[in-house]
Amino acid sequence: MWLFKKVTDIQGFLNYQKQEGKTIGFVPTMGALHAGHISLIQKSKSTCDITVCSIFVNPTQFNDPADLEKYPRTLEQDIKKLVEADCNVLFFPAVEEIYPDDVQKKYDLGKLENILEGAFRPGHFQGVCMVLDRLFSIIQPGEIFFGQKDYQQCMVVKRLLQDVPGFDDIHMNIVPIIREESGLAMSSRNKRLSPEQLVKAPVIYETLQYLKDHIQKGDLQEYVQVAKDKLIANGFKPDYVSIADADTLQEITVWNGVTPLVALIAAYLGEVRLIDNLKLTD
Ligand code: AMP
């Protein structure tokens, strides 16, 4: 696997590969890699000639400084996993390399900016767009790979591709959520859970399954309340439980039985904030 820290070095390498006619797949991550990340690498490898993974814990997308500080960093283990997965290139730049100056662009994300994750993590999606704008400009990939685990982020990325000149020919791939046997969605943040919390954490997925199994046309609010109560009874502090239009993320309180739905949960277990989602309709 090729390792690059400098923008000019990886650009030189990738320009050569592109001249040779190779297609480039890109998987941006913040490291502490698990099987969910590796599934993105595998998807890229099955579609593209060269797969580039980036590891960059992006300071601009953390609204909580403690969360940034405690974010797990496991570069050596990550490199081993990427080599095992036969990833071709790892880009792990320093902060100054990604943000050489203080110029801050503002992205118009419409309603997506202030609902759900945006409401509870002000500025988060601006930070996500800032880093992806920079990373896509550096790598100039043909294909990009993101996890459905970050459902709202996927919608933000689609918008970024439409809005930033030069990004409209990048093709986005959304990869299903990889879960532990318990149902818990894999996440780098799971590393911060205690053994007791790891036993409780699958309740988020059980709650999503409950919603999928029970909702019916009509008022949805009582189902949402049952879901919140279930989380609270199991020691969670929910930020939100939302049933939303799967295409727009607009909250649906009364369902016509036709609109495609997704249920989304964000909840704290102790100090660790977990998110998960499940499509409720096929
Ligand atoms: P992160 O390192 O958390 O920024 O995640 C990097 C990419 O991996 C994002 O596109 C995530 O949506 C994706 N990802 C994280 N967890 C999972 C999972 N359990 N299954 C599939 N993809 C995931």
Side-chain angles (χ1 to χ4, degrees):
M1 183 169 71
W2 293 83
L3 286 87
F4 297 102
K5 288 187 92 158
K6 297 282 174 205
V7 171
T8 46
D9 292 344
I10 190 165
Q11 280 181 325
F13 173 83
L14 290 176
N15 284 341
Y16 175 77
Q17 298 298 337
K18 284 174 200 159
Q19 277 161 23
E20 294 287 295
K22 306 275 198 243
T23 55
I24 310 294
F26 180 40
V27 181
T29 83
M30 298 203 299
L33 301 182
H34 51 66
H37 297 114
I38 299 304
S39 76
L40 303 187
I41 301 285
Q42 283 162 347
K43 186 81 200 339
S44 173
K45 283 194 62 74
S46 70
T47 326
C48 304
D49 299 319
I50 304 277
T51 291
V52 179
C53 176
S54 66
I55 295 181
F56 180 68
V57 183
N58 174 34
T60 64
Q61 73 186 67
F62 284 82
N63 53 313
D64 173 4
D67 191 26
L68 171 61
E69 193 201 319
K70 290 192 183 135
Y71 200 85
R73 289 161 170 89
T74 58
L75 186 62
E76 262 183 50
Q77 293 165 40
D78 290 350
I79 290 174
K80 274 193 198 138
K81 286 182 188 168
L82 289 172
V83 169
E84 265 169 36
D86 208 14
C87 181
N88 306 104
V89 178
L90 170 61
F91 181 47
F92 60 113
V95 174
E96 309 77 66
E97 199 68 11
I98 295 296
Y99 299 120
D101 51 45
D102 285 340
V103 179
Q104 289 201 359
K105 262 196 195 169
K106 179 93 177 100
Y107 301 87
D108 178 8
L109 302 175
K111 287 194 179 136
L112 275 180
E113 171 138 25
N114 297 316
I115 58 171
L116 301 169
E117 287 302 283
F120 286 91
R121 305 186 66 189
H124 170 66
F125 287 124
Q126 287 296 325
V128 167
C129 287
M130 223 183 280
V131 75
L132 291 178
D133 189 348
R134 181 83 175 113
L135 287 170
F136 294 167
S137 304
I138 295 165
I139 311 285
Q140 299 189 7
E143 303 279 333
I144 52 175
F145 299 84
F146 284 82
Q148 190 202 313
K149 163 88 177 9
D150 296 277
Y151 197 98
Q152 192 174 1
Q153 173 172 273
C154 288
M155 296 181 69
V156 166
V157 175
K158 279 187 193 162
R159 186 148 180 158
L160 187 74
L161 295 184
Q162 284 166 9
D163 288 359
V164 176
F167 287 175
D168 46 344
D169 53 358
I170 300 178
H171 180 247
M172 162 112 174
N173 300 265
I174 299 178
V175 179
I177 302 174
I178 304 292
R179 301 179 177 281
E180 304 285 356
E181 263 180 42
S182 64
L184 173 64
M186 290 194 183
S187 165
S188 305
R189 288 188 171 85
N190 295 352
K191 291 193 167 71
R192 293 178 53 205
L193 295 171
S194 69
E196 296 75 27
Q197 288 171 330
L198 272 173
V199 174
K200 286 281 181 200
V203 171
I204 295 190
Y205 184 56
E206 285 168 31
T207 307
L208 291 167
Q209 282 288 0
Y210 162 83
L211 291 171
K212 185 171 170 117
D213 293 344
H214 289 84
I215 56 140
Q216 285 176 5
K217 197 169 155 175
D219 190 357
L220 297 180
Q221 292 179 89
E222 69 179 271
Y223 300 106
V224 169
Q225 195 54 51
V226 173
K228 277 186 189 159
D229 292 346
K230 187 171 160 67
L231 289 167
I232 292 166
N234 281 281
F236 290 87
K237 285 204 191 83
D239 268 355
Y240 58 80
V241 173
S242 178
I243 300 179
D245 182 322
D247 297 326
T248 64
L249 280 188
Q250 209 55 45
E251 186 158 29
I252 304 284
T253 49
V254 180
W255 185 39
N256 59 12
V258 178
T259 304
L261 297 180
V262 59
L264 308 106
I265 292 178
Y268 280 91
L269 195 49
E271 289 186 347
V272 185
R273 188 171 184 279
L274 301 171
I275 61 168
D276 199 354
N277 65 79
L278 187 65
K279 287 202 176 160
L280 304 183
T281 47
D282 299 319

